[in-house]
Amino acid sequence: MLNKLVQTAILAGALSAALPATASTFVAWEVSGVDWNDVLNARAWPSSSSAIRAAIPTARNCR
């Protein structure tokens, strides 16, 4: 029983490693009109009432 489980786990791992990944990540923004000492808020959805997920200091990370 354990041998069969291990074989199944190895097969599942091999198949998942062989398949191409379909996830994508948004990796860059172009921000303008933000003061150098301001904070850019990344929100859950595009609304000023949505939750802030991250606050990015613009002086170091944005141009």
Side-chain angles (χ1 to χ4, degrees):
M1 175 73 177
L2 183 59
N3 190 22
K4 181 75 168 172
L5 182 61
V6 170
Q7 288 176 350
T8 304
I10 291 172
L11 179 61
L15 287 175
S16 65
L19 297 174
T22 58
S24 65
T25 303
F26 185 74
V27 294
W29 301 271
E30 184 173 332
V31 179
S32 62
V34 180
D35 289 336
W36 69 270
N37 60 349
D38 203 354
V39 175
L40 178 66
N41 292 324
R43 297 187 176 267
W45 62 85
S47 170
S48 61
S49 63
S50 70
I52 297 173
R53 298 293 185 206
I56 305 166
T58 56
R60 289 180 296 186
N61 299 320
C62 299
R63 294 178 207 162

